[in-house]
Amino acid sequence: MSMSLDSHIEKVLWTQDQILDRVAQIASQITLDFKAAPDPPLFVGVATGAFLFLADLVKRVQFPLFVDLVRAQSYGSGTLSNGVPSISLDLKLDVKGKHVEDIVDTGCTLSCLIEHLEAKGVSSVSICAFLDKPTRRKVHIKLVGDGKFYKGFEVKIYSQTFYAHML
């Protein structure tokens, strides 16, 4: 017996067209903000959750760039963060002196990754989050250099109910 891929979905928050429109808007803003950068920025996706968003985003950015993935985790085998992030697979590309775009729940893993990138000598770190959950934030997200914070959609969480809206 075949089960539908989306049979477990209760409610669709955004259609594919809404998602692609928002990704295009973010890519346009990033293009405006970084097209004059002297060196191509490095877009870092946190594997594996960001790879589809990252792929859709970088296809729409209108300047040369580099892409790399890092594996950072704080979930273990569950669905709730344990608050103790670790980097289990580092970048392949050298980030020293580069502008880095990073693809937020509690912010613990992201903060750890930003510190890791800063220690490698990046000149700036910007965040690009497909979904932002500010009500679950446990740490302040500190951008580096001239970094910016790009958000796709904001998810407000009240107990187990999700309220989401486009930013």
Side-chain angles (χ1 to χ4, degrees), residues 2-19:
S2 173
M3 182 164 55
S4 169
L5 183 61
D6 59 358
S7 63
H8 65 286
I9 297 173
E10 283 183 38
K11 180 182 177 185
V12 174
L13 299 177
W14 304 281
T15 66
Q16 182 175 347
D17 288 341
Q18 289 172 312
I19 291 169

Side-chain angles (χ1 to χ4, degrees), residues 78-136:
T79 58
L80 292 176
S81 174
N82 64 19
V84 184
S86 65
I87 295 173
S88 58
L89 178 66
D90 205 350
L91 298 164
K92 292 181 181 178
L93 298 174
D94 182 12
V95 297
K96 187 171 185 171
K98 300 263 193 268
H99 297 281
V100 176
E101 298 288 326
D102 186 13
I103 306 290
V104 162
D105 193 9
T106 64
C108 294
T109 301
L110 186 57
S111 289
C112 174
L113 183 55
I114 291 169
E115 288 175 14
H116 180 74
L117 293 169
E118 204 170 10
K120 289 179 165 285
V122 297
S123 62
S124 71
V125 175
S126 292
I127 308 303
C128 187
F130 175 67
L131 295 177
D132 184 25
K133 303 175 188 175
T135 58
R136 291 188 35 93

Side-chain angles (χ1 to χ4, degrees), residues 8-166:
H8 65 286
I9 297 173
E10 283 183 38
K11 180 182 177 185
V12 174
L13 299 177
W14 304 281
T15 66
Q16 182 175 347
D17 288 341
Q18 289 172 312
I19 291 169
L20 292 176
D21 286 347
R22 185 63 187 137
V23 171
Q25 291 168 5
I26 296 168
S28 292
Q29 186 61 55
I30 290 172
T31 298
L32 287 173
D33 292 345
F34 288 93
K35 68 180 175 185
D39 297 313
L42 170 63
F43 284 63
V44 175
V46 179
T48 57
F51 85 96
L52 290 174
F53 172 57
L54 180 62
D56 285 341
L57 182 68
V58 299
K59 286 189 291 188
R60 291 165 176 80
V61 171
Q62 300 296 310
F63 53 73
L65 56 92
F66 296 100
V67 175
D68 203 346
L69 295 173
V70 64
R71 185 175 296 266
Q73 59 191 28
S74 66
Y75 287 88
S77 61
T79 58
L80 292 176
S81 174
N82 64 19
V84 184
S86 65
I87 295 173
S88 58
L89 178 66
D90 205 350
L91 298 164
K92 292 181 181 178
L93 298 174
D94 182 12
V95 297
K96 187 171 185 171
K98 300 263 193 268
H99 297 281
V100 176
E101 298 288 326
D102 186 13
I103 306 290
V104 162
D105 193 9
T106 64
C108 294
T109 301
L110 186 57
S111 289
C112 174
L113 183 55
I114 291 169
E115 288 175 14
H116 180 74
L117 293 169
E118 204 170 10
K120 289 179 165 285
V122 297
S123 62
S124 71
V125 175
S126 292
I127 308 303
C128 187
F130 175 67
L131 295 177
D132 184 25
K133 303 175 188 175
T135 58
R136 291 188 35 93
R137 196 89 72 245
K138 293 181 179 177
V139 297
H140 174 73
I141 304 296
K142 182 187 108 184
L143 301 176
V144 176
D146 293 330
K148 301 180 182 336
F149 197 147
Y150 304 95
K151 301 176 190 180
F153 301 93
E154 185 172 300
V155 179
K156 298 192 183 298
I157 301 173
Y158 302 101
S159 42
Q160 293 299 327
T161 306
F162 291 78
Y163 297 92
H165 66 278
M166 228 185 311

